[in-house]
Amino acid sequence: MQADSAVIERLEFGLTCPLPIVSSEDAPGTENGRVDIFEGEVRFVDSHQQVPAVLGVGFGVKAWARPDAAPTRITIRSLHPAFPGTGTTSQSFTSHLGPNAPMTHVFTFDLPHEATPGLWQLQALAGGRMIYSVSFKVVPPEAYSGPPLDCEHLDLLGEAPRPAGTPAA
């Protein structure tokens, strides 16, 4: 995990529980041509960087800009192993990062070919400069050794957020 502390004040990441999708926005740089907009606040079940390759599982990053940061247009990028059948290895869309609210980037395995094991990286760039990059290792379900994905007891599994630049335990 890396974060540009001149831009990012706080960074959270990990596995997420599903949230209802309320709409979508055009995102031509993605395989589906859109990104989903969720209802509610994304909360991480755990800050684990190992992800089971199971439909419905999500993982992501939530970034808070420094209070003195100007609102910035950013490119959100997901780098991953080639999807079977499509060969897609990179997807991107634009978003904004500013001091008033966190920016959230979540990838959810919606289709079987997306649950592809290997190294995944969720990144944000501003003007071509990396402002964060978080790596996740997607593994077959039988190889998953992380915490149980217990979304019903989210408050019991949560972990205090870490400041940007602080390594995972």
Side-chain angles (χ1 to χ4, degrees):
M1 188 264 318
Q2 68 183 61
D4 182 341
S5 61
V7 178
I8 302 294
E9 179 176 60
R10 191 169 99 199
L11 196 67
E12 292 178 11
F13 55 87
L15 303 175
T16 64
C17 290
L19 287 171
I21 297 170
V22 294
S23 66
S24 62
E25 292 182 1
D26 289 341
T30 65
E31 189 174 77
N32 296 329
R34 64 174 173 73
V35 290
D36 294 326
I37 307 302
F38 298 97
E39 177 179 78
E41 181 182 347
V42 171
R43 293 185 57 200
F44 297 109
V45 176
D46 191 84
S47 61
H48 207 68
Q49 288 175 270
Q50 186 185 66
V51 179
V54 174
L55 284 178
V57 169
F59 56 101
V61 178
K62 189 184 294 187
W64 285 261
R66 296 181 58 81
D68 57 348
T72 305
R73 186 178 178 102
I74 60 174
T75 299
I76 301 298
R77 184 166 63 186
S78 301
L79 305 175
H80 49 76
F83 287 164
T86 68
T88 302
T89 60
S90 176
Q91 301 183 66
S92 64
F93 61 94
T94 58
S95 189
H96 291 86
L97 179 66
N100 299 325
M103 190 288 308
T104 304
H105 174 197
V106 171
F107 196 101
T108 303
F109 298 133
D110 295 323
L111 301 170
H113 74 278
E114 293 175 336
T116 301
L119 180 66
W120 286 61
Q121 293 180 324
L122 302 184
Q123 303 176 333
L125 299 96
R129 188 176 99 221
M130 184 74 61
I131 58 172
Y132 72 70
S133 180
V134 179
S135 296
F136 293 88
K137 183 178 181 182
V138 176
V139 298
E142 63 277 6
Y144 178 68
S145 62
L149 299 180
D150 186 355
C151 293
E152 292 180 23
H153 300 98
L154 184 60
D155 293 335
L156 300 176
L157 295 172
E159 181 177 304
R162 289 188 295 278
T166 303

